[in-house]
Amino acid sequence: MRANSQTRREKQKEELRAQILRAAGEEFSAHGYDGFSLRRVAERIGYSPTTIYLYFRGKDDLLLETVRDGFAHFDAQIERAATHSDPSRRLCEIGLAYLRFGLENPALYRLMFLQRADFFVLRLTGIGTPDEQQNALEAQNAPHHRVAAQDFLVKTIEEGIRRGEFRAQNPIFQADALWAAMHGLVSLAIGPLMSPEHAQEIAPQLLEILIDGLKP
Amino acid sequence: MRANSQTRREKQKEELRAQILRAAGEEFSAHGYDGFSLRRVAERIGYSPTTIYLYFRGKDDLLLETVRDGFAHFDAQIERAATHSDPSRRLCEIGLAYLRFGLENPALYRLMFLQRADFFVLRLTGIGTPDEQQNALEAQNAPHHRVAAQDFLVKTIEEGIRRGEFRAQNPIFQADALWAAMHGLVSLAIGPLMSPEHAQEIAPQLLEILIDGLKP
Amino acid sequence: MRANSQTRREKQKEELRAQILRAAGEEFSAHGYDGFSLRRVAERIGYSPTTIYLYFRGKDDLLLETVRDGFAHFDAQIERAATHSDPSRRLCEIGLAYLRFGLENPALYRLMFLQRADFFVLRLTGIGTPDEQQNALEAQNAPHHRVAAQDFLVKTIEEGIRRGEFRAQNPIFQADALWAAMHGLVSLAIGPLMSPEHAQEIAPQLLEILIDGLKP
Amino acid sequence: MRANSQTRREKQKEELRAQILRAAGEEFSAHGYDGFSLRRVAERIGYSPTTIYLYFRGKDDLLLETVRDGFAHFDAQIERAATHSDPSRRLCEIGLAYLRFGLENPALYRLMFLQRADFFVLRLTGIGTPDEQQNALEAQNAPHHRVAAQDFLVKTIEEGIRRGEFRAQNPIFQADALWAAMHGLVSLAIGPLMSPEHAQEIAPQLLEILIDGLKP
DNA sequence: TATGAATGAGTATTCATTCAT
DNA sequence: AATGAATGAATACTCATTCAT
């Protein structure tokens, strides 16, 4: 009985946490990083602002968790999409999955890749004062979380090279070119500069050209 | 003498104005639209916040002027770079100039293409209440200022098609694909996810592949 | 026990609210509508400016509530004083109660009858934009809240006329003359131009003369 | 020639000073004491804010001079109106002139008699810190400038008593009662609570009653 | 677990005032 | 005589955060 009750409580707690995270994502998407307001998040879920402090250490922590969730979600989705054994096709799958994730989670994508990515990259590591982090940022060039997807690309290209399907070139360059192109497409499509539909029409052609460019 | 003194004064004034605009662009790029703070702009240039009001009507006016300047600067730079008569080469020139502009004016680039471009696109036209503008934004999908550069791409590709240098395909699609790729490269290079040098290494290859993809 | 604690808390809250209202009235009377400052109100009661926002929606709301309370208080006090059945005596009671209210609540009196009464008269009705209200102000000449006391005077005079105690004259004129005189006395007595004691000495004589003037 | 030119210059200077005073009066009437803005005064007359400092020591000084002018104007107008040799009639003349002055110069009247009269009464004497002045205000009950008109009333009533036209009573009391009544009428008529026309209709009756009350 | 009360820091903006010219 | 540049102080208001309950 006791255990049961405890389980239920934990479940409730987990649920409220998730609810907060969801609301935070929406708030963020609506007002951007600096316009983000804890109070409005609280209002959105019908709790008092204070309550959020029971689940998160503060504003930054909440945003951090939001983005952490986002990256997990993102990694999983990319890996799930990459099913084909043929490297060319797999590259295409990855690219389309990348676009799809961006279009389906525009706020999150912004948060992760466009707005203040620097902030989070370092905050996720969690060390140093803001100034030190700033310096560190300038010194290092270590992408952190995205490596997952990037590694995926690199490995797939390497496999293609091993199979003789792609020319033997620096696979990192190729991977980054692909990534840049898809990132550009997403960035435009989640802004007012290009419609999502247009981006989805362009994507296959763009991918085809780029993947063809890898071949001998 | 008098005239001289006046000239000097006007020059000083113009210079401070430009300084403010620069600082504003950086502030904006660092904190986004909502997080933009006149006071921090003032601090950055070492003047009191009040001083800014001697040069701009207020926050919105300052941001507007910043982005307006940016677009003018951008358009000019792109057109100046596009000198070659051969469409392929010209496309390459445009692409590299685009990258160069982004790397040399990261704050401005962010301001123009990444952050709240929507807001400015409409504000620059200057009609309607904020609410009406919001509705208009959702209804329309009309890019406004960027058309300059975009048109340039489209026309160059059309010329290539006419010359038989490129395959006869929808030139808008091709132009947007090119644009997206370069935009992606810039976006990454001005963030913490890719070093500018890396982007500059990748750019020619990426452009080559994409332009080759246009050929028959 | 719980209920008790809650009651106590509510009481405290109500008390602070009243304290704020009092301070606001004083501030208003001291500096007028435009010079009214939330911060000074806060300082006066020894709380931070922010606290006031927990009790009122903002500056206008606070002023509105202040004046609303004042009118309620005023109406009640006047009516409570008018007990005598003889119209002459009742007029005298009303007049003295009017003076007493002013002397006991000088800040409030200023707020209600001297300073920007126009603003509040319309704000208390709550309709229209400020501009529309401005126009309405100029078009109408409808006193709103004070009618309570004014009506009282008029009715009492009418009763006197019916009883044959007063001459049959336009009772509104007579009422307004009485009102003007008492209002003048109060205005002077709460300013530096006449001492309250002096006003209280004059009042009965003045009332006597005016009421005698009503008689045949 | 020189003298001539100097005269002209002084004239110009005097004229601008008067222009500023006029504009200041209007500004004051439009925005009240605390809402009064030097900059708007400057705008109104088409000069830079700095210029005003060449004619007045600052905001307070400007307002002070405005009110000083007002009192002079007021005294002159009252005395000019009091022509009749019969005390009763003269009282009536004074009363009506008082009303007229108020209705014709509502902003000034407010400034002189309603709003911050205390401030000016002491400022016109010019000694002490604000705090000391506050204390002085509470200690003293010395009306300052208005005495002119008040004295006039008192003397007129005394004359009436000497002539046997009025009952032998404390003339100060009688004068103050008259004054209070007229002041009340003006106060209401320059606010939203009573129309000027209504006040002008009431005035003669009110004066008649009050003056009759003086008679044996 | 949840919250109401309270506050300090920060926001844009306006204004009186000074100083050099 | 007049002004343009600059600033410090003040304004209302919002927000993240803490504390006692």
Side-chain angles (χ1 to χ4, degrees):
Chain A
M1 296 300 123
R2 192 62 100 64
N4 218 337
S5 147
Q6 213 168 32
T7 307
R8 201 192 56 228
R9 265 217 233 159
E10 268 174 31
K11 211 171 186 175
Q12 276 181 359
K13 187 158 183 180
E14 199 51 48
E15 219 157 278
L16 183 46
R17 207 189 112 99
Q19 208 181 337
I20 295 174
L21 279 175
R22 223 176 310 128
E26 289 163 14
E27 256 313 299
F28 175 88
S29 123
H31 295 89
Y33 176 75
D34 289 87
F36 179 85
S37 147
L38 260 192
R39 310 194 122 186
R40 276 201 300 267
V41 172
E43 241 168 59
R44 210 183 256 268
I45 59 171
Y47 282 78
S48 95
T50 328
T51 302
I52 294 182
Y53 286 85
L54 300 175
Y55 294 81
F56 300 91
R57 237 170 323 158
K59 187 191 182 182
D60 279 359
D61 187 42
L62 172 54
L63 281 175
L64 214 59
E65 291 304 305
T66 306
V67 82
R68 208 196 295 276
D69 262 29
F71 275 120
H73 185 192
F74 170 72
D75 288 350
Q77 201 144 322
I78 295 293
E79 300 201 18
R80 193 152 3 101
T83 58
H84 226 284
S85 63
D86 178 42
S88 292
R89 298 244 189 136
R90 197 148 79 238
L91 284 182
C92 189
E93 283 172 343
I94 293 174
L96 294 175
Y98 190 97
L99 176 62
R100 214 177 312 123
F101 176 84
L103 294 180
E104 281 171 5
N105 307 280
L108 209 45
Y109 190 89
R110 276 200 134 87
L111 186 51
M112 289 162 60
F113 290 117
L114 289 177
Q115 219 164 6
R116 307 284 310 179
D118 51 353
F119 174 82
F120 290 109
V121 166
L122 280 174
R123 274 297 198 274
L124 285 167
T125 71
I127 340 173
T129 69
D131 274 350
E132 286 165 6
Q133 293 187 347
Q134 191 61 34
N135 295 336
L137 258 184
E138 274 147 29
Q140 79 172 40
N141 192 34
H144 188 73
H145 251 281
R146 293 125 289 109
V147 172
Q150 217 181 347
D151 267 8
F152 230 67
L153 281 179
V154 173
K155 278 178 190 151
T156 307
I157 291 176
E158 284 172 344
E159 192 184 328
I161 294 174
R162 270 201 311 279
R163 288 196 184 188
E165 209 171 316
F166 299 156
R167 268 178 301 153
Q169 276 178 312
N170 184 340
I172 293 183
F173 271 48
Q174 310 305 325
D176 283 350
L178 256 171
W179 178 33
M182 295 317 291
H183 171 66
L185 213 47
V186 175
S187 308
L188 293 176
I190 65 177
L193 307 179
M194 184 183 285
S195 77
E197 294 77 22
H198 194 54
Q200 278 174 317
E201 278 184 294
I202 292 176
Q205 304 183 26
L206 182 53
L207 281 167
E208 199 193 334
I209 292 176
L210 289 168
I211 295 169
D212 275 356
L214 295 174
K215 297 180 181 168
Chain B
M1 298 303 120
R2 192 58 102 66
N4 217 338
S5 147
Q6 211 169 30
T7 307
R8 200 191 55 228
R9 260 223 259 198
E10 267 174 31
K11 212 171 184 175
Q12 276 182 0
K13 187 152 187 178
E14 200 51 47
E15 219 159 280
L16 183 46
R17 205 190 113 100
Q19 208 181 335
I20 295 174
L21 280 176
R22 224 175 310 127
E26 289 163 13
E27 259 312 302
F28 188 107
S29 116
H31 295 90
Y33 176 75
D34 290 291
F36 179 85
S37 149
L38 267 187
R39 306 192 132 188
R40 275 200 303 265
V41 171
E43 235 167 64
R44 210 182 256 270
I45 60 170
Y47 281 79
S48 92
T50 327
T51 302
I52 294 181
Y53 286 87
L54 299 176
Y55 294 81
F56 300 91
R57 237 168 324 159
K59 187 188 182 182
D60 277 1
D61 187 42
L62 172 53
L63 284 174
L64 217 57
E65 290 303 305
T66 306
V67 81
R68 208 196 296 278
D69 264 30
F71 275 119
H73 186 191
F74 170 74
D75 287 350
Q77 202 142 323
I78 295 293
E79 300 201 18
R80 191 151 6 98
T83 59
H84 225 286
S85 64
D86 178 43
S88 293
R89 297 246 189 133
R90 196 149 80 238
L91 284 182
C92 190
E93 284 172 342
I94 293 174
L96 293 175
Y98 191 96
L99 175 62
R100 213 177 313 123
F101 176 85
L103 294 180
E104 281 171 6
N105 307 280
L108 208 45
Y109 189 89
R110 279 195 129 91
L111 184 51
M112 289 161 60
F113 291 117
L114 289 177
Q115 234 157 3
R116 303 284 309 201
D118 51 352
F119 174 81
F120 290 109
V121 165
L122 281 174
R123 273 298 197 274
L124 284 167
T125 71
I127 339 171
T129 68
D131 273 351
E132 286 165 6
Q133 294 188 345
Q134 191 61 34
N135 295 336
L137 259 183
E138 275 148 27
Q140 79 172 35
N141 192 36
H144 187 71
H145 250 282
R146 297 127 288 113
V147 171
Q150 218 181 345
D151 265 8
F152 230 66
L153 282 179
V154 172
K155 277 179 191 149
T156 307
I157 292 175
E158 284 172 343
E159 193 185 324
I161 294 175
R162 271 201 311 280
R163 290 194 183 191
E165 208 171 315
F166 299 155
R167 268 177 303 152
Q169 275 178 312
N170 185 340
I172 293 183
F173 271 48
Q174 311 304 326
D176 284 349
L178 256 171
W179 179 32
M182 295 316 291
H183 171 67
L185 212 49
V186 175
S187 309
L188 293 176
I190 64 178
L193 307 179
M194 185 184 283
S195 78
E197 295 76 22
H198 194 55
Q200 276 174 317
E201 278 184 294
I202 293 176
Q205 303 183 25
L206 182 53
L207 281 167
E208 199 195 334
I209 292 176
L210 289 168
I211 295 169
D212 276 356
L214 295 174
K215 297 182 180 165
Chain C
M1 295 304 120
R2 189 67 98 62
N4 218 338
S5 149
Q6 210 169 32
T7 307
R8 200 190 56 228
R9 261 222 257 197
E10 267 175 32
K11 212 171 184 175
Q12 275 180 0
K13 187 153 188 180
E14 200 50 49
E15 219 157 278
L16 183 46
R17 205 189 115 100
Q19 208 182 336
I20 295 174
L21 281 175
R22 226 174 310 128
E26 289 162 13
E27 258 314 301
F28 189 109
S29 117
H31 295 90
Y33 176 76
D34 289 292
F36 180 85
S37 148
L38 268 188
R39 304 192 135 188
R40 275 200 302 266
V41 171
E43 234 168 64
R44 209 182 258 269
I45 59 170
Y47 282 78
S48 94
T50 328
T51 301
I52 294 182
Y53 287 88
L54 299 176
Y55 294 81
F56 299 91
R57 237 169 323 161
K59 188 188 181 182
D60 277 1
D61 186 43
L62 171 53
L63 284 174
L64 216 57
E65 290 303 305
T66 306
V67 81
R68 207 196 297 276
D69 263 29
F71 274 119
H73 186 188
F74 170 72
D75 287 352
Q77 202 142 326
I78 294 293
E79 300 201 17
R80 192 150 6 99
T83 58
H84 225 284
S85 63
D86 179 43
S88 294
R89 297 245 189 136
R90 197 150 78 236
L91 283 182
C92 190
E93 283 172 342
I94 294 174
L96 293 176
Y98 190 97
L99 175 63
R100 214 177 311 124
F101 177 84
L103 294 180
E104 281 169 6
N105 307 280
L108 208 45
Y109 190 88
R110 277 195 130 91
L111 183 52
M112 290 162 60
F113 291 116
L114 289 176
Q115 235 157 1
R116 301 285 309 202
D118 51 354
F119 174 81
F120 291 108
V121 166
L122 280 175
R123 274 298 198 274
L124 284 168
T125 71
I127 338 174
T129 69
D131 273 351
E132 286 167 5
Q133 293 187 347
Q134 191 61 34
N135 295 336
L137 259 183
E138 274 147 27
Q140 79 173 36
N141 192 38
H144 187 72
H145 249 282
R146 291 128 290 109
V147 172
Q150 219 181 346
D151 265 10
F152 230 67
L153 281 178
V154 173
K155 277 178 192 151
T156 308
I157 292 176
E158 283 172 343
E159 192 185 325
I161 294 175
R162 270 200 312 278
R163 290 195 183 190
E165 207 171 317
F166 299 155
R167 266 177 304 151
Q169 275 178 313
N170 184 339
I172 293 184
F173 272 48
Q174 310 305 326
D176 284 348
L178 255 172
W179 179 32
M182 296 317 291
H183 170 68
L185 212 49
V186 175
S187 309
L188 293 176
I190 64 178
L193 308 179
M194 184 184 286
S195 77
E197 295 76 22
H198 194 55
Q200 277 174 317
E201 280 185 294
I202 293 176
Q205 304 183 25
L206 182 52
L207 281 167
E208 198 193 334
I209 292 176
L210 289 169
I211 295 169
D212 276 355
L214 296 175
K215 297 182 181 167
Chain D
M1 296 300 122
R2 198 48 109 69
N4 218 338
S5 147
Q6 210 168 38
T7 308
R8 200 192 56 229
R9 264 216 233 160
E10 269 176 31
K11 212 173 187 173
Q12 275 181 358
K13 187 157 183 179
E14 200 49 48
E15 219 157 277
L16 183 46
R17 206 190 113 99
Q19 207 181 338
I20 295 173
L21 279 175
R22 223 176 311 126
E26 289 164 13
E27 256 313 300
F28 175 88
S29 122
H31 295 91
Y33 176 75
D34 290 87
F36 180 85
S37 148
L38 259 193
R39 309 194 124 183
R40 274 199 303 266
V41 171
E43 239 167 60
R44 210 182 256 268
I45 59 171
Y47 282 78
S48 94
T50 328
T51 302
I52 294 182
Y53 285 85
L54 300 175
Y55 294 82
F56 300 92
R57 238 170 321 160
K59 187 191 183 183
D60 279 359
D61 187 43
L62 172 53
L63 281 175
L64 214 59
E65 291 305 304
T66 306
V67 81
R68 208 195 296 276
D69 262 29
F71 274 119
H73 185 192
F74 169 74
D75 287 351
Q77 201 145 324
I78 295 293
E79 300 201 18
R80 190 151 7 101
T83 59
H84 224 285
S85 64
D86 178 43
S88 292
R89 297 246 190 134
R90 197 148 78 237
L91 284 182
C92 190
E93 284 172 340
I94 294 174
L96 293 176
Y98 191 96
L99 175 62
R100 215 179 311 125
F101 176 84
L103 293 181
E104 282 170 6
N105 308 279
L108 207 47
Y109 190 89
R110 276 199 136 85
L111 186 51
M112 289 162 61
F113 291 117
L114 289 177
Q115 218 165 6
R116 309 282 310 178
D118 51 354
F119 174 81
F120 290 109
V121 165
L122 280 174
R123 274 299 198 271
L124 284 167
T125 72
I127 341 171
T129 70
D131 274 350
E132 286 165 6
Q133 293 188 347
Q134 191 61 36
N135 294 338
L137 258 183
E138 274 148 27
Q140 81 173 37
N141 191 36
H144 188 73
H145 249 282
R146 296 124 289 110
V147 173
Q150 217 181 349
D151 267 8
F152 230 67
L153 280 179
V154 173
K155 277 177 192 151
T156 308
I157 292 176
E158 283 172 343
E159 193 184 326
I161 294 175
R162 271 200 311 278
R163 290 196 184 190
E165 208 171 316
F166 299 155
R167 268 176 303 152
Q169 276 179 311
N170 184 339
I172 293 184
F173 272 47
Q174 311 304 325
D176 284 350
L178 256 172
W179 179 33
M182 295 318 290
H183 170 67
L185 213 48
V186 175
S187 310
L188 293 177
I190 63 178
L193 307 180
M194 185 183 286
S195 77
E197 295 76 23
H198 194 56
Q200 277 173 317
E201 278 185 293
I202 293 176
Q205 304 184 24
L206 182 52
L207 281 167
E208 199 194 333
I209 292 177
L210 290 167
I211 295 169
D212 275 357
L214 296 174
K215 297 182 181 168

